[in-house]
Amino acid sequence: MSFRRLLKGTAVFILLVVLHYSVRPLLGARVTMDFLVIAVLLLSVRMRPGAAALLGFFSGLVADSLAPLSFGAGALALALLGYGASWLKAVFFADNVLLHAIFFFVGKWAYDVLYLVAERRIDLGSLPGQLLVWSPLSALATALAGVVIIVLFRTTLEPQPA
């Protein structure tokens, strides 16, 4: 990876993190876009699995620092998500918008499942409703936002074969 490509990828990551902490709170609904998951997924497919897990872990630690009651759940979920996305990178080298949308949808839904199970704050009665209704809707919103990011930054984020 060239230095210029690394710089562009870092700039897109920082932009997504800024969007996560500035735009996402303004939406304020149960169904929100998770720009941090998009950022970790986009960079993880361009990294080795260990580095992707570290990226997810540290991104999760930063997010968890704002939610002390569930500290560690986001770090664990994003670390596993980054590691898994890095292993799946061979599948997503195609320039297919639908494939990216599915990737973001499944990634966000997997993050919610991992986070909610690790967090253990939701009782067993409301967990299926959260995982089967609200998490897929949030994953759909995240997938739509991810596709918009991919389309806007197509030249910056174009993958390179391993």
Side-chain angles (χ1 to χ4, degrees):
M1 180 181 275
S2 70
F3 179 71
R4 186 173 189 205
R5 186 167 214 63
L6 179 68
L7 193 61
K8 286 181 180 181
T10 304
V12 170
F13 181 81
I14 290 170
L15 173 71
L16 287 169
V17 170
V18 168
L19 286 174
H20 182 78
Y21 290 109
S22 61
V23 172
R24 187 173 183 228
L26 297 176
L27 300 176
R30 284 184 86 169
V31 178
T32 60
M33 296 168 235
D34 200 335
F35 294 107
L36 194 58
V37 169
I38 295 171
V40 169
L41 287 174
L42 283 177
L43 259 64
S44 292
V45 295
R46 289 155 179 80
M47 303 171 86
R48 293 183 179 261
L54 284 175
L55 173 74
F57 179 75
F58 288 119
S59 299
L61 275 181
V62 170
D64 284 346
S65 67
L66 299 173
L69 292 177
S70 61
F71 190 76
L76 174 67
L78 282 176
L80 291 174
L81 191 67
Y83 185 80
S86 180
W87 276 106
L88 292 174
K89 65 182 170 188
V91 177
F92 297 102
F93 280 141
D95 191 20
N96 187 339
V97 175
L98 180 62
L99 193 60
H100 280 95
I102 293 169
F103 179 62
F104 291 131
F105 180 87
V106 171
K108 171 59 176 158
W109 199 25
Y111 169 77
D112 282 350
V113 169
L114 291 167
Y115 183 83
L116 291 172
V117 169
E119 179 186 42
R120 296 187 299 167
R121 283 195 314 181
I122 294 181
D123 59 0
L124 291 177
S126 60
L127 186 63
Q130 177 67 34
L131 292 178
L132 298 175
V133 176
W134 297 112
S135 290
L137 289 174
S138 184
L140 183 63
T142 300
L144 290 174
V147 167
V148 169
I149 297 293
I150 287 288
V151 169
L152 288 176
F153 296 104
R154 182 172 299 241
T155 58
T156 302
L157 296 173
E158 65 186 14
Q160 291 191 356

